[in-house]
Structures are given as C-alpha cells and as structure tokens.
Amino acid sequence: SRLLRDASRVLMNATPPGLYPADIASVLSNLEGVRAVHDLHVWLMSSGQPALAAHVSITELSAWPGILEHARHELDQAFGIRHVTLQPELEQTSSGGRATV
C-alpha cells in the first residue's frame, strides 16, 4: 500500500521521489562563492517534508552568510526543500571539481 511504502521511505531515509541529489548538488555548486558540494543527503522527515544536509566548499568564509541565504532560497524555490543543514568548508586547493554527491 502507499502508506506502507511512504512509511518505509521515511524509516530508511530514502531520497524522496522526484528529488535527485545530482540536480540539487548542481544548483548548489553553481552559486557564487561555492567551489564544490559533497556528502549531500536528501531524505523525508516524518512530517513528509524533504530535508537536506551537505558540505559546501566555499572560497571565503566571510561570504558564508550570503551563500547560505541564497542556497536556502534556491533549495526552497527549485525543490521545495525548507529543512536545510549546510556545513561550510574553506576551499584549500584550486581543484577544478565542482560537485560530488
């Protein structure tokens, strides 16, 4: 049944239907000041709302408040994700990689 399937998804922390981590990582990694996104996880909370956690490599720590605000806005508008935990990490290298999931 649908109820059992939905309950199983919540209990297993499965990615919600229609949300693709690679697409989400792409949106985040294209924000100004973001170098890369990794350890990205999306799951359904018990309330049925999607939640997201990720590590975000940034170029300047002083830019983090603006990046976080922009990221939260984009995640809400593009994917309907309002429960967001992002951990900033200062980018140490000049690697060309952008997004990994």
Side-chain angles (χ1 to χ4, degrees):
S1 79
R2 181 176 176 197
L3 179 61
L4 182 59
R5 184 181 65 239
D6 291 347
S8 296
R9 285 183 146 304
V10 169
L11 292 173
M12 295 176 58
N13 288 330
T15 301
L19 293 178
Y20 303 99
D23 293 343
I24 297 167
S26 178
V27 166
L28 289 173
S29 67
N30 284 314
L31 296 176
E32 185 174 340
V34 174
R35 299 283 298 163
V37 176
H38 62 97
D39 294 331
L40 187 143
H41 303 280
V42 184
W43 68 97
L44 275 180
M45 296 176 42
S46 60
S47 65
Q49 296 295 312
L52 174 139
H55 292 225
V56 181
S57 296
I58 58 175
T59 55
E60 293 182 41
L61 195 54
S62 62
W64 179 242
I67 293 170
L68 179 59
E69 182 179 338
H70 195 189
R72 286 182 181 275
H73 175 77
E74 290 298 315
L75 291 168
D76 183 21
Q77 294 299 305
F79 306 103
I81 301 172
R82 293 184 185 96
H83 299 280
V84 176
T85 302
L86 298 175
Q87 179 176 325
E89 298 175 345
L90 214 49
E91 178 68 26
Q92 300 285 327
T93 65
S94 59
S95 65
R98 293 290 288 171
T100 58
V101 179

